[in-house]
Amino acid sequence: MNISPAPKLSFVIPTLNSAATLGECLAAICNQNVPRATYEIIIADAGSSDATREIAQRFGVDHIVDNPLKTGEAGKSAGIHAARGELIALVDSDNILPDATWLAAMLAPFEHADIVAAEPLEYARRGSDPALTRYFALLGMNDPLCLFLGNYDRLCHITGTWTGLNVPVEDRGNFLALDCDPLRMPTIGANGFIFRRAVLAHVQWTPYFFDIDVAQQMTAAQLGKIAKVKCGIVHLYCSRLTQFARKQNRRIRDFLFFSKQGAETRTYAWRNNTGLPRFIVATLLVVPLLVQQFRGMRRTPDRAWWYHVPVCVLTLWIYGAAVVLKKFGLLKGPAERKNWQK
């Protein structure tokens, strides 16, 4: 009996009614200029009722596994259980690899023995994408609160830096090698994050793979350096403010629920600094947000910057309401996934 050799890399993609974006995601993966036999594609599906599974089959994915716990974090864990590669790439169904050289560029740092993980330096911005999608690419994060906390991990066109934290960096040409402090850790770990399988023996990754927690744990275990590769990845995060509001509600509800489960569930160090009160004051006053917006427009002109104020206001409202509901015991579990759709 012929047994195919294990691939070098496993793409793990959680899905739930992801038909709107999955085809473009898979097409970009299959268009990479590395041999298809060197990587596998695993879909971890949470019970899609649309054409998600049919699209996956049409693109010849190697495995489709079930994700009964529904969340994206559970999907990553389920997919990793099925993965055979020595490297694992976490790509969401709304991530698009921007060109055919992406995978080769992302794999290059692993030729260095001290690199245990790699992540793109920025979000790629395409002129054809909706203005709100371009705004998040320019902001360099999906949550504007992180701008004030300083823990973002992609190039921000307001600040001109990829993080607001003091992270020791060694420039190695095509990538930056990071010496991260586990107590002051950027939100590394998603949207194109690749890591060595050996890391799994030192982190908490099942039944939920909380990406920023895993990156923080691998840093705390002193397993090696994380590379920030000088390339981008497209993230079709949101195209409408209603979609953004729904995702922010899911984000805060999941965070509040899983955080109360104890340190064995969530370990990322959300430091208690002045970031949160500064975000609240800036959003209530609005003027500081307009100053940030002007800086972004001056550095990288795009009408998408006009979303900065409404995105911050929506975030403050949704997060504040969730905290109040939790205080009165009205948040009983994570956000409902019923009828979820990308």
Side-chain angles (χ1 to χ4, degrees):
M1 181 176 64
N2 293 326
I3 300 177
S4 60
K8 180 177 182 179
L9 177 137
S10 300
F11 282 99
V12 173
I13 307 174
T15 57
L16 175 58
N17 294 331
S18 304
T21 59
L22 183 60
E24 190 177 2
C25 170
L26 293 176
I29 291 175
C30 294
N31 191 45
Q32 294 301 294
N33 61 4
V34 300
R36 177 65 173 84
T38 62
Y39 63 89
E40 65 179 355
I41 305 173
I42 299 170
I43 298 293
D45 189 60
S48 294
S49 57
D50 64 1
T52 292
R53 291 194 176 222
E54 289 81 359
I55 292 171
Q57 291 168 348
R58 187 167 74 244
F59 278 92
V61 303
D62 298 275
H63 304 286
I64 300 178
V65 300
D66 292 329
N67 171 21
L69 294 178
K70 302 294 186 182
T71 71
E73 293 80 11
K76 292 174 183 179
S77 182
I80 291 169
H81 275 291
R84 298 183 299 144
E86 63 183 74
L87 297 173
I88 296 172
L90 301 177
V91 172
D92 288 341
S93 60
D94 57 2
N95 287 149
I96 314 298
L97 311 188
D99 56 57
T101 66
W102 186 90
L103 183 53
M106 289 296 298
L107 291 178
F110 292 98
E111 297 174 4
H112 299 251
D114 62 337
I115 298 297
V116 296
E119 180 183 79
L121 184 64
E122 62 183 328
Y123 287 120
R125 177 174 58 112
R126 305 184 300 184
S128 59
D129 287 330
L132 187 56
T133 299
R134 299 199 311 274
Y135 162 75
F136 287 114
L138 289 164
L139 191 64
M141 62 204 83
N142 304 323
D143 189 335
L145 174 57
C146 291
L147 177 61
F148 293 83
L149 298 177
N151 63 344
Y152 52 93
D153 67 323
R154 310 289 166 118
L155 178 62
C156 174
H157 291 251
I158 290 176
T159 65
T161 61
W162 67 269
T163 189
L165 301 178
N166 183 19
V167 179
V169 171
E170 177 190 354
D171 193 328
R172 297 188 183 178
N174 293 329
F175 68 93
L176 309 175
L178 314 182
D179 279 315
C180 294
D181 179 348
L183 296 180
R184 292 183 60 81
M185 184 80 182
T187 52
I188 290 170
N191 300 301
F193 184 66
I194 302 178
F195 63 93
R196 298 187 191 272
R197 171 183 286 278
V199 163
L200 296 174
H202 304 273
V203 299
Q204 301 166 17
W205 63 278
T206 185
Y208 296 98
F209 188 105
F210 292 106
D211 40 49
I212 60 175
D213 299 57
V214 168
Q216 180 265 336
Q217 291 165 28
M218 69 171 65
T219 298
Q222 299 182 335
L223 301 177
K225 300 178 187 291
I226 297 175
K228 291 292 290 186
V229 184
K230 296 176 183 179
C231 68
I233 189 169
V234 176
H235 189 192
L236 303 177
Y237 185 59
C238 292
S239 60
R240 304 179 306 278
L241 284 175
T242 53
Q243 187 182 20
F244 170 72
R246 182 181 55 161
K247 288 191 174 185
Q248 287 296 74
N249 181 62
R250 181 191 66 177
R251 186 197 302 273
I252 188 63
R253 289 195 57 164
D254 284 0
F255 173 77
L256 292 174
F257 174 75
F258 286 108
S259 294
K260 72 180 181 181
Q261 304 305 305
E264 72 279 0
T265 303
R266 301 305 308 266
T267 61
Y268 180 83
W270 292 92
R271 297 185 65 83
N272 184 18
N273 58 21
T274 61
L276 179 57
R278 285 193 298 110
F279 170 68
I280 294 172
V281 171
T283 304
L284 292 176
L285 294 178
V286 177
V287 172
L289 301 183
L290 292 174
V291 172
Q292 291 175 337
Q293 179 178 295
F294 174 75
R295 288 174 181 166
M297 293 183 72
R298 185 174 60 179
R299 181 172 277 116
T300 311
D302 192 315
R303 64 184 179 86
W305 283 115
W306 291 107
Y307 275 108
H308 188 53
V309 172
V311 161
C312 290
V313 170
L314 267 175
T315 297
L316 179 60
W317 173 261
I318 292 168
Y319 284 10
V323 170
V324 171
L325 290 174
K326 179 189 176 184
K327 184 176 180 62
F328 287 96
L330 299 177
L331 288 183
K332 302 298 184 181
E336 176 62 59
R337 262 66 179 179
K338 185 178 180 181
N339 298 324
W340 183 262
Q341 192 170 22
K342 285 288 186 183

